[in-house]
Amino acid sequence: MSKKRKIPNATLNRLPLYFKYFKQSESNGVDRVSSREISEALDIDSATIRRDFSYFGELGRKGYGYNVRALVKFFSEQVQGTGLKHVILVGTGNLGSALLNYKFTNIHDKMSIIAAFDNKDSIIGNVINEVEVLHTDKLEEVIKDHHAEVAILTVPGEAGVKIAERLEAAGIKGILNFTPEKLEVSKKVTVHNIDLGVEMQALLFYMKHK
Amino acid sequence: MSKKRKIPNATLNRLPLYFKYFKQSESNGVDRVSSREISEALDIDSATIRRDFSYFGELGRKGYGYNVRALVKFFSEQVQGTGLKHVILVGTGNLGSALLNYKFTNIHDKMSIIAAFDNKDSIIGNVINEVEVLHTDKLEEVIKDHHAEVAILTVPGEAGVKIAERLEAAGIKGILNFTPEKLEVSKKVTVHNIDLGVEMQALLFYMKHK
């Protein structure tokens, strides 16, 4: 397989699940796991797992099972290697506050939320988990000054669309989007959508078809 | 394909994404979509989409594109058909409060969170979006009295494992698990895990490999 070959999106979608599984295996003291074990734990068929792992070079060679510690290291480096560490958060309601209290250092040593934004005067100036809430007017200034490239979007409903446009213009390259809206940004910006309603539906579907 | 044939897990995992896509298409006034259009919107290859849709009987026949309205109706009935409507929530911190304010009626007309639980005395008795916060001691009683079968778990860290055992014993059949813990319940209980750290990682992976 040529080195230039891009990792397919379907494989990328599964990487975080693999990473989480390997981290859990490591903390349980497991040294090696087979593709069959991964398959059973994650409900992904073994052939797909072997194909996915073929993209990871030497580490993806199965031998007598995958080396857990080496793969955890590989995945961590993949994330750390992005050099992305300055995150901003827009919308400090309940969901935003929950995320401000989340320990992102679990997944990336140097990652932190450096600023939070809201447009409610009653909230501006509050400090949540050591992060000060600033007025949304200051978005562009802070993004540029701190070279922030990742944003978490937790504003209510439609406000997200306009904010996303401002985030892109100011230099943000990736958005974790918790609003139900489809963001209108260019292809230069990576958007990952999390919709809590979709997750609840997923649960109901699984329950129905169990 | 025999009627007894179970829908594979990989297909089930994609159903909520299809549902969301069809709902968006419907609200945009789109009548029909092709598997190629779905493929581009959701980053799933067309062959997989056609195979998934083959499980939906007549509606899944492609013809000249899939009928958007008919499929939205089909998916809605799938969810409503579960008869699952009474949801309880355990852990009314920021994330729990965010979920209490979420409009689940968007995905299921009759679905609602009927009770919320916490073990902090300062919170007991509070009302969040018309739902009263009760002491966790009352979990079993409320689940049984209201025949609740779905639970949202938003307690901090390790507390989730013990709560999940109590939920199963009291009759809960499905758990939307926002804790990072692996729940120790029997196979009778469906668990759907959402890990905010994993979602952030997913974003970083996509940004790196864009």
Side-chain angles (χ1 to χ4, degrees):
Chain A
M1 190 164 291
S2 147
K3 283 207 172 169
K4 272 191 160 173
R5 178 103 182 253
K6 245 183 94 180
I7 299 186
N9 272 321
T11 301
L12 286 178
N13 284 334
R14 288 184 286 266
L15 288 187
L17 297 175
Y18 293 143
F19 187 25
K20 190 178 177 193
Y21 175 75
F22 279 106
K23 280 194 98 162
Q24 276 172 350
S25 301
E26 189 183 40
S27 67
N28 291 340
V30 177
D31 289 332
R32 294 190 163 268
V33 292
S34 65
S35 48
R36 195 177 50 77
E37 286 168 312
I38 306 172
S39 169
E40 280 171 12
L42 301 180
D43 266 327
I44 301 170
D45 69 83
S46 303
T48 303
I49 290 170
R50 285 191 296 270
R51 198 181 56 230
D52 286 349
F53 278 59
S54 73
Y55 289 97
F56 310 155
E58 279 298 315
L59 288 171
R61 298 253 180 99
K62 204 186 157 199
Y64 57 106
Y66 297 109
N67 182 315
V68 170
R69 195 174 302 173
L71 274 157
V72 167
K73 190 159 170 274
F74 169 77
F75 284 122
S76 301
E77 284 167 359
Q78 288 276 308
V79 175
Q80 309 248 358
T82 58
L84 301 164
K85 50 190 182 184
H86 289 173
V87 181
I88 61 145
L89 180 142
V90 192
T92 59
N94 283 313
L95 186 57
S97 299
L99 283 152
L100 280 167
N101 283 298
Y102 191 89
K103 284 194 191 70
F104 285 106
T105 47
N106 283 348
I107 56 156
H108 185 332
D109 294 351
K110 299 186 187 94
M111 179 171 249
S112 63
I113 298 178
I114 54 153
F117 299 89
D118 209 292
N119 61 5
K120 282 206 196 77
D121 285 332
S122 58
I123 300 176
I124 313 294
N126 283 4
V127 176
I128 305 172
N129 197 21
E130 301 180 18
V131 179
E132 192 184 346
V133 181
L134 308 171
H135 195 283
T136 318
D137 288 347
K138 297 199 174 147
L139 255 185
E140 286 80 2
E141 186 188 325
V142 173
I143 291 171
K144 284 173 187 162
D145 285 356
H146 291 82
H147 305 287
E149 293 188 298
V150 181
I152 299 173
L153 196 54
T154 45
V155 295
E158 295 166 16
V161 178
K162 277 224 177 328
I163 297 281
E165 287 169 12
R166 288 176 56 190
L167 292 173
E168 175 170 15
I172 289 291
K173 298 281 183 284
I175 302 176
L176 200 57
N177 175 33
F178 285 91
T179 81
E181 302 299 316
K182 188 172 165 57
L183 305 182
E184 289 161 15
V185 290
S186 80
K187 294 222 166 182
K188 283 183 226 153
V189 179
T190 307
V191 178
H192 183 50
N193 300 302
I194 298 119
D195 185 321
L196 299 175
V198 168
E199 302 297 346
M200 175 55 89
Q201 271 180 309
L203 174 66
L204 298 181
F205 279 126
Y206 302 146
M207 289 173 75
K208 181 174 166 71
H209 292 282
K210 203 174 177 92
Chain B
M1 191 165 293
S2 147
K3 282 206 172 168
K4 273 191 164 172
R5 177 100 180 254
K6 246 184 97 182
I7 299 187
N9 272 321
T11 301
L12 287 178
N13 284 334
R14 288 184 286 268
L15 289 187
L17 296 175
Y18 294 144
F19 187 25
K20 191 178 177 193
Y21 175 75
F22 279 107
K23 280 195 97 161
Q24 276 172 350
S25 302
E26 189 184 39
S27 66
N28 292 338
V30 177
D31 288 333
R32 293 190 165 268
V33 292
S34 65
S35 47
R36 196 177 50 78
E37 286 168 311
I38 305 172
S39 170
E40 280 171 12
L42 301 180
D43 265 328
I44 302 169
D45 68 84
S46 302
T48 303
I49 290 170
R50 285 191 295 270
R51 198 181 56 232
D52 286 348
F53 278 60
S54 73
Y55 288 97
F56 310 155
E58 279 298 316
L59 288 171
R61 299 253 182 96
K62 203 185 158 200
Y64 56 105
Y66 298 110
N67 182 314
V68 171
R69 194 174 303 174
L71 273 157
V72 167
K73 189 158 171 276
F74 170 77
F75 284 122
S76 301
E77 285 167 357
Q78 288 277 309
V79 175
Q80 309 247 358
T82 59
L84 301 165
K85 51 188 183 184
H86 290 173
V87 180
I88 61 145
L89 180 142
V90 191
T92 59
N94 283 313
L95 185 58
S97 299
L99 283 152
L100 280 167
N101 283 298
Y102 191 90
K103 285 195 190 71
F104 285 106
T105 47
N106 283 347
I107 56 158
H108 185 332
D109 294 351
K110 298 186 189 92
M111 176 171 253
S112 63
I113 298 178
I114 54 152
F117 299 89
D118 208 292
N119 61 5
K120 283 207 197 76
D121 285 334
S122 58
I123 300 177
I124 313 294
N126 284 4
V127 176
I128 306 172
N129 196 21
E130 300 180 20
V131 179
E132 192 183 347
V133 181
L134 308 171
H135 195 283
T136 318
D137 287 348
K138 296 199 174 146
L139 256 185
E140 286 79 3
E141 186 189 326
V142 174
I143 291 170
K144 284 172 188 163
D145 285 355
H146 291 82
H147 304 287
E149 293 188 296
V150 181
I152 299 173
L153 196 55
T154 44
V155 295
E158 295 166 17
V161 177
K162 277 222 177 330
I163 298 280
E165 286 170 12
R166 287 175 57 191
L167 292 173
E168 174 170 17
I172 290 291
K173 297 282 183 284
I175 301 176
L176 200 58
N177 175 32
F178 286 91
T179 81
E181 302 299 314
K182 188 171 164 58
L183 305 182
E184 289 161 15
V185 291
S186 80
K187 295 222 165 182
K188 282 182 224 153
V189 179
T190 307
V191 178
H192 183 49
N193 299 303
I194 299 120
D195 185 322
L196 299 175
V198 168
E199 302 296 347
M200 175 56 87
Q201 271 180 305
L203 174 66
L204 297 182
F205 279 126
Y206 302 146
M207 289 173 75
K208 183 176 165 69
H209 292 282
K210 205 178 175 90

